[in-house]
Amino acid sequence: MTTTRNTVIESVGVYLPARTMSTREVLDGCRTTIRFPLERITGIKSRHVAGDTEFSIDLAKKSVAECLAKSTVPPDHVDLLICSNISRFDGPNFWVSYEPNTSVKLKKHFGFDNALAFDVGSACSGMFVAIQIVDAFIKAGMIRSGLVVSGEYISNLARTAQLEIASNMDPRLACLTLGDAGAAVMLQEGPDDSVGFHEIDLCTLGRYSTHCLAGPTDKEHGGGIMVTEALQLTNVAVKYGSKHALRVLDHAGWAPESFQHLIMH
């Protein structure tokens, strides 16, 4: 009988920029006075914001460096490298870089000479999409170790929103919650099925993608902006997200009451 072995996180690297900004500071920086209770509703007291010379690629590099420092896997033993950041701001003045992509840049920088490298774009779910891909490769016996990394520099959207938000219910309000960070995880096959990822499943609700769109602003001041229909997104999350979660629990054979923690996004 073949022993089931779950995929485990072998090491983790996280980089949080030294600069922070409180929610009060973000609201005070808005051109129009906003009285929305953003901190109370979101629970966000402050967020980390990249320094003047830090961008997406820098956040990714620093998180990978920490991950490798904690790992027993040498760079030439990394078989798969997936980058999942949606931001491509890799330089000043909104310099956006698409080719070579982030994974290829990191492969060259760290010497991941034997790694298959590519990017995925799935916004908030990006790291879990990448983890599921690595998990599939490991379970198929195609790789030994896979690295997932994200360097997300999106606080610049908040700066644009500060100039544009006109009311407490403005669809650009969600931009004021954004911060910057880098994260990396090294994944391997675990010793057995008692540890690691027991169940991973994702579903796509692409028909509702228009409820949250980001891109260049059409205003003269320039910059990126995100427009979010929060109520519609909440409705979709409650209706379909709960059904999906129950299907995953049923497949795993777990009862809902067996959980002590539930993390929502």
Side-chain angles (χ1 to χ4, degrees):
M1 180 181 294
T2 302
T3 302
T4 301
R5 296 183 177 183
N6 292 336
T7 297
V8 299
I9 295 177
E10 188 266 351
S11 59
V12 176
V14 175
Y15 175 69
L16 296 174
R19 179 190 297 177
T20 61
M21 183 173 290
S22 71
T23 296
R24 185 69 264 162
E25 289 175 302
V26 172
L27 290 172
D28 287 345
C30 291
R31 179 174 290 177
T32 300
T33 300
I34 302 298
R35 304 192 184 282
F36 186 84
L38 191 64
E39 181 176 325
R40 181 168 62 85
I41 294 298
T42 65
I44 301 172
K45 294 184 178 181
S46 65
R47 73 278 290 128
H48 290 265
V49 178
D52 294 335
T53 59
E54 290 180 317
F55 304 97
S56 294
I57 188 66
D58 305 301
L59 303 177
K61 285 179 179 178
K62 291 176 180 179
S63 64
V64 171
E66 180 177 303
C67 185
L68 290 176
K70 298 176 179 178
S71 176
T72 61
V73 181
D76 61 349
H77 281 197
V78 176
D79 301 314
L80 178 58
L81 170 65
I82 305 179
C83 292
S84 62
N85 46 288
I86 200 69
S87 169
R88 295 294 188 274
F89 287 109
D90 286 342
N93 301 316
F94 300 107
W95 180 54
V96 178
S97 173
Y98 283 105
E99 294 292 344
N101 61 26
T102 306
S103 60
V104 171
K105 291 177 183 177
L106 295 178
K107 176 178 178 176
K108 181 178 180 180
H109 181 80
F110 288 100
F112 298 132
D113 299 331
N114 299 313
L116 172 65
F118 58 87
D119 290 16
V120 296
S122 190
C124 299
S125 63
M127 286 203 75
F128 281 98
V129 169
I131 287 171
Q132 187 178 37
I133 293 171
V134 174
D135 177 65
F137 271 76
I138 290 174
K139 282 183 166 56
M142 299 174 67
I143 64 171
R144 299 162 297 174
S145 302
L147 181 65
V148 171
V149 58
S150 175
E152 206 67 87
Y153 168 57
I154 50 176
S155 61
N156 53 89
L157 274 67
R159 291 195 292 272
T160 308
Q162 286 175 319
L163 300 174
E164 299 183 9
I165 290 176
S167 69
N168 288 350
M169 297 304 293
D170 195 293
R172 293 162 290 198
L173 194 67
C175 293
L176 303 184
T177 67
L178 303 175
D180 307 316
V185 292
M186 186 75 75
L187 302 165
Q188 286 186 323
E189 185 179 62
D192 50 48
D193 66 348
S194 65
V195 294
F197 291 98
H198 292 264
E199 198 75 30
I200 305 177
D201 191 29
L202 303 174
C203 70
T204 299
L205 300 171
R207 74 183 69 174
Y208 304 105
S209 61
T210 55
H211 292 340
C212 184
L213 294 174
T217 182
D218 59 359
K219 309 301 181 183
E220 290 185 4
H221 49 250
I225 195 69
M226 180 176 68
V227 179
T228 305
E229 298 173 354
L231 294 179
Q232 289 88 336
L233 279 178
T234 301
N235 181 55
V236 171
V238 171
K239 182 178 180 180
Y240 295 102
S242 56
K243 289 181 180 179
H244 179 67
L246 290 173
R247 283 197 300 269
V248 174
L249 289 177
D250 182 65
H251 185 265
W254 298 332
E257 59 270 19
S258 65
F259 283 88
Q260 288 76 47
H261 299 282
L262 177 66
I263 302 173
M264 299 292 291
H265 175 69

